[in-house]
Amino acid sequence: MFAVLVFLVAVPQGQDVVRALAERQSGSLDDWQRIFFFAGVLAWAIYAWYWARVMLRLAFPGVPGNVPELRRFRTWMPRILGTLATLGVAAALYRASLGYAEDEHAAVRELLVDLAQWTLAGAAAFFVTVTYRRPVLRLVRLDVKASGEEAYGSVEFRDLGWATLGSLAAALLVAVVLLGVFVFWLQEGAVRVGTAAILLLAATGWIAAGSTLDFIGMRKRIPVFLGLLALAIVFSPWNDNHAVRTLETAQPDPRDDLRDLLRAWLARQPAKERGALPLYVLNAEGGGIRAAWWTASVLGEIQGMLPGFDQQLFSLSAVSGGSLGAGVYAALLAEQRAGRNFILKQKAQAILGEDFLSPVAAAMLYPDLLQRVLPLPVARFDRALALEEAWELAWRKHMPESDRFAEPMDRVRDGKSWAPLLFLNATWVETGKRIVASQASIEPRDGSVDFVDTEDAQRFFAPRSLRLSTAVHMSARFTYISPAGTLKRSGEVHGHVVDGGYFENSAATTTLEILKTIGAMADDESEDPRWKRVEPLVIHISNEPVNPLLAPETLAGAPGHPRIGPNAWMNELLSPLWTLLNARGARGTYARETVRFHVGAENFLHFGLCRESTNVPLGWVLSSSTRRNMNSQLAGQRCETRDARVIFDNRDNLERLRSRQGG
């Protein structure tokens, strides 16, 4: 119970889920989400109260029976637990209303406050009802015991009344029905119920089923939960259902290497004799749906402003959520080249504005949780599949008559005209090395080594192809939300793949290798002399909201700094862990700044987010206010420190791109 409360009240993703309940338009599926949400709150409160009462009434070995000293505790603790569940939801709603600036979404803030007040009133009504239910029922001449006559610590399970057994049966029935829905009707059913309600309904089922199992285990002196954990451990070598999906469709053979593709890009550039030839390369950092939506929005804004931008854009190197944004942008470009007419930025935002978290939460808490104690794998129960299919469904919803996101990733490039290359960076668990999925060949060829110590995902799975959704997800296997993908070929497991952010979260390492190859080709007398006029420009898209009020992260300024202040508690134990976690971010910063140094500050355009009223969350769903906040920052955000040091300037970056194109 407390884990769910912490998620809704204190975790940014939970707060955004709560805000989304108030921000949607009436008449949509989100009205159902509100209905299920408050039904879940009521069910959660009732079961927390009722099953606490049941467990306190039952006789357990070694637990004192009906002793007067414990009567007050046993009477009031269930009432407090049930009421606390409702109070926690009220607190989550009210805290969500505080996440807006004073001039931001007044109607939504007012609705959240109203919902919090109604939930608070519901908590009070619930407390009064469970406290005074017995006197009221006796007034209508029902035979109900007074609180002082209730027997605690002495009742056998077989002696429980029909109401208790009925509530257990109802909870189990609902759990089985939801399991069926989330196996056979996952995408539509989960989005209709909503993430928050899924959490609450799952918690409700756990209370009833968990209490029953706990009672059986204590009475039989069997460690039931430890036994289930042991089953999960014992079955884990055989029940892995997280294999990376592949298609029978064959890949292009052979795939061009980096140098051939650079030559192909140069061949399509205007044949002017003088002046620089701008070549754009892009890094898109990771960060869940926040990174996906922000990356696609920045690229869509530039594409709308400069229609020929994609012809000068050579590569899109991305990590995690940035890979999803880059993948959507590349796929939409392919649709435009096929003759479909739409505004790319609007279409990308519509696709990425869908709810991807509900299907993942439903799969994780129902079929994929059941899978952990089954001896054999069931592919349909994989929560990774739920996320990939959610992306594919969102694509088909907004791009009818197209299934490009479920097709081989190579098909976003047709070979007839130039299309930017995707470099989707993931991490090989067993070695920590990069695994890159790309239309380019990553492996060395003809003695050239352009990508150092890097595995080629496409080559590993050849001749079978990777869906675009699967290639994106290899890079975006967000910690625990998505499981590690199993790299399997010809029935044999070769390793596992996780989010590219484990290696480094900037995606700049791959871009740096591309830049070095461009430099080598410019220095090679056997190459086209126009390479000497090619001017690489880097577009770097970060998505972690920067707090401009914080001092720079330097060793001299570390004491008292909220982010890098020295740790005093259990330093010997925690220092290795903090080092491992922080080194990931440091590697990303190092790679980004190395790229900046390589091309020069004037040719490095950094688009980012500045921390304002709300912290933009990492999960797989964004509220409309969060999306509007990011849109406003793209149009005119200049983020600078208190001493006027510019961190990034989105508006100036757009102007620089426009003026360069005009020149």
Side-chain angles (χ1 to χ4, degrees):
M1 184 176 93
F2 292 105
V4 176
L5 284 177
V6 169
F7 175 76
L8 294 176
V9 176
V11 178
Q13 292 92 331
Q15 282 285 281
D16 210 51
V17 167
V18 173
R19 278 194 292 271
L21 290 170
E23 292 184 356
R24 308 291 186 164
Q25 298 296 317
S26 299
S28 69
L29 288 177
D30 301 289
D31 293 329
W32 280 105
Q33 289 193 4
R34 295 181 197 174
I35 293 172
F36 279 113
F37 176 73
F38 287 108
V41 173
L42 180 60
W44 191 33
I46 290 174
Y47 272 71
W49 160 71
Y50 191 77
W51 277 91
R53 288 186 64 250
V54 171
M55 295 298 286
L56 288 171
R57 290 176 60 204
L58 292 171
F60 291 98
V63 177
N66 201 25
V67 295
E69 292 81 4
L70 295 176
R71 177 166 296 277
R72 185 176 296 275
F73 170 83
R74 287 167 163 170
T75 299
W76 286 98
M77 182 52 66
R79 301 171 184 175
I80 292 172
L81 287 175
T83 306
L84 184 62
T86 316
L87 286 175
V89 174
L93 289 163
Y94 181 72
R95 189 168 185 270
S97 72
L98 301 178
Y100 301 101
E102 291 184 3
D103 57 347
E104 184 183 25
H105 307 304
V108 175
R109 283 188 286 116
E110 184 177 348
L111 178 56
L112 282 168
V113 172
D114 288 344
L115 291 174
Q117 291 174 342
W118 279 106
T119 308
L120 184 63
F126 178 86
F127 182 78
V128 170
T129 300
V130 297
T131 302
Y132 296 103
R133 70 191 187 284
R134 295 176 188 273
V136 172
L137 291 174
R138 285 201 299 274
L139 285 176
V140 296
R141 300 183 182 279
L142 291 179
D143 185 16
V144 178
K145 294 180 181 179
S147 296
E149 300 172 352
E150 189 69 74
Y152 290 106
S154 58
V155 177
E156 297 294 330
F157 193 86
R158 62 177 177 271
D159 297 325
L160 295 175
W162 63 266
T164 302
L165 298 177
S167 71
L168 174 61
L172 295 178
L173 178 62
V174 169
V176 170
V177 169
L178 288 175
L179 175 64
V181 168
F182 297 149
V183 170
F184 300 106
W185 196 45
L186 173 63
Q187 300 296 332
E188 298 85 351
V191 172
R192 188 177 293 271
V193 176
T195 303
I198 290 168
L199 284 171
L200 296 175
L201 292 171
T204 301
W206 292 340
I207 289 173
S211 297
T212 303
L213 292 174
D214 190 34
F215 172 77
I216 294 172
M218 291 185 70
R219 290 300 302 269
K220 301 295 183 181
R221 299 187 181 277
I222 300 173
V224 175
F225 294 106
L226 190 60
L228 291 173
L229 177 61
L231 279 180
I233 295 172
V234 170
F235 291 156
S236 61
W238 303 285
N239 71 355
D240 179 6
N241 64 330
H242 304 312
V244 174
R245 295 190 300 165
T246 57
L247 289 165
E248 293 185 3
T249 307
Q251 298 176 24
D253 185 30
R255 286 180 293 128
D256 292 332
D257 67 7
L258 177 62
R259 296 178 186 237
D260 287 338
L261 288 162
L262 282 166
R263 296 181 188 110
W265 174 87
L266 185 61
R268 288 180 168 89
Q269 299 309 302
K272 59 183 181 179
E273 297 181 358
R274 296 182 179 179
L277 293 172
L279 178 150
Y280 291 96
V281 290
L282 178 132
N283 313 318
E285 291 187 4
I289 194 61
R290 173 180 73 200
W293 203 91
W294 179 238
T295 297
S297 297
V298 171
L299 286 166
E301 182 74 15
I302 298 173
Q303 189 69 37
M305 182 180 69
L306 308 174
F309 168 71
D310 59 303
Q311 297 304 298
Q312 294 175 291
L313 177 62
F314 177 76
S315 62
L316 299 155
S317 176
V319 168
S320 193
S323 294
L324 177 58
V328 168
Y329 169 74
L332 289 174
L333 284 178
E335 293 294 328
Q336 288 188 335
R337 290 194 302 273
R340 304 188 70 173
N341 186 28
F342 52 84
I343 299 174
L344 191 146
K345 178 183 173 184
Q346 291 181 358
K347 188 66 70 172
Q349 290 183 342
I351 293 169
L352 295 171
E354 294 294 327
D355 178 4
F356 302 129
L357 184 57
S358 293
V360 177
M364 181 167 61
L365 295 174
Y366 285 90
D368 212 5
L369 183 63
L370 175 63
Q371 173 69 88
R372 298 312 107 211
V373 294
L374 297 180
L376 297 174
V378 181
R380 189 68 222 167
F381 289 2
D382 185 7
R383 64 185 185 276
L385 175 64
L387 184 55
E388 291 175 22
E389 290 186 340
W391 294 340
E392 295 167 7
L393 181 64
W395 175 271
R396 288 192 292 269
K397 176 180 177 180
H398 295 281
M399 294 297 298
E401 302 178 6
S402 170
D403 202 20
R404 197 175 294 274
F405 226 72
E407 293 175 351
M409 70 174 297
D410 297 284
R411 292 188 183 175
V412 298
R413 307 183 79 248
D414 55 16
K416 299 176 182 178
S417 58
W418 179 255
L421 293 154
L422 289 169
F423 292 88
L424 307 178
N425 300 272
T427 306
W428 179 7
V429 171
E430 284 74 13
T431 65
K433 292 168 57 173
R434 278 176 300 160
I435 303 179
V436 178
S438 176
Q439 300 97 347
S441 175
I442 303 298
E443 294 291 323
R445 183 179 298 176
D446 299 329
S448 64
V449 181
D450 298 311
F451 298 95
V452 179
D453 198 32
T454 305
E455 291 290 330
D456 187 333
Q458 291 262 66
R459 177 170 177 170
F460 172 78
F461 289 111
R464 298 173 70 91
S465 292
L466 284 172
R467 291 173 175 85
L468 179 56
S469 63
T470 301
V472 165
H473 195 203
M474 282 181 64
S475 173
R477 287 186 173 258
F478 194 69
T479 310
Y480 295 118
I481 297 296
S482 294
T486 304
L487 298 168
K488 186 180 292 187
R489 185 174 64 186
S490 302
E492 185 177 5
V493 174
H494 288 248
H496 299 85
V497 62
V498 291
D499 195 291
Y502 284 96
F503 182 85
E504 63 95 352
N505 199 44
S506 75
T509 298
T510 298
T511 293
L512 183 61
E513 292 175 319
I514 295 171
L515 292 171
K516 288 180 178 178
T517 299
I518 293 171
M521 294 177 74
D523 293 336
D524 190 342
E525 296 298 330
S526 66
E527 293 285 350
D528 190 324
R530 289 192 298 164
W531 280 114
K532 297 185 184 302
R533 294 195 286 117
V534 169
E535 182 182 13
L537 296 100
V538 176
I539 297 174
H540 184 88
I541 303 176
S542 63
N543 70 87
E544 178 70 29
V546 176
N547 188 344
L549 301 179
L550 290 182
E553 296 183 1
T554 63
L555 188 58
H561 195 292
R563 283 180 60 89
I564 61 170
N567 178 48
W569 291 93
M570 303 177 68
N571 181 58
E572 287 190 37
L573 179 64
L574 295 178
S575 285
L577 175 62
W578 289 126
T579 303
L580 289 171
L581 293 174
N582 291 327
R584 163 186 170 271
R587 286 193 298 271
T589 301
Y590 173 80
R592 182 191 70 204
E593 294 306 307
T594 302
V595 167
R596 187 199 300 268
F597 176 79
H598 190 89
V599 298
E602 288 301 314
N603 286 352
F604 188 90
L605 295 89
H606 181 185
F607 289 86
L609 294 169
C610 214
R611 187 179 297 275
E612 292 186 339
S613 58
T614 58
N615 181 21
V616 185
L618 276 170
W620 287 118
V621 62
L622 287 175
S623 63
S624 58
S625 70
T626 298
R627 299 197 296 268
R628 282 192 289 268
N629 179 22
M630 287 195 284
N631 255 337
S632 67
Q633 294 210 32
L634 175 58
Q637 181 65 58
R638 176 186 175 92
C639 196
E640 59 184 16
T641 62
R642 288 176 292 186
D643 58 358
R645 179 177 62 86
V646 176
I647 303 172
F648 53 79
D649 190 334
N650 297 335
R651 179 173 52 195
D652 181 65
N653 287 338
L654 294 174
E655 289 300 322
R656 288 164 61 190
L657 286 166
R658 184 183 290 110
S659 62
R660 179 177 289 274
Q661 184 80 356

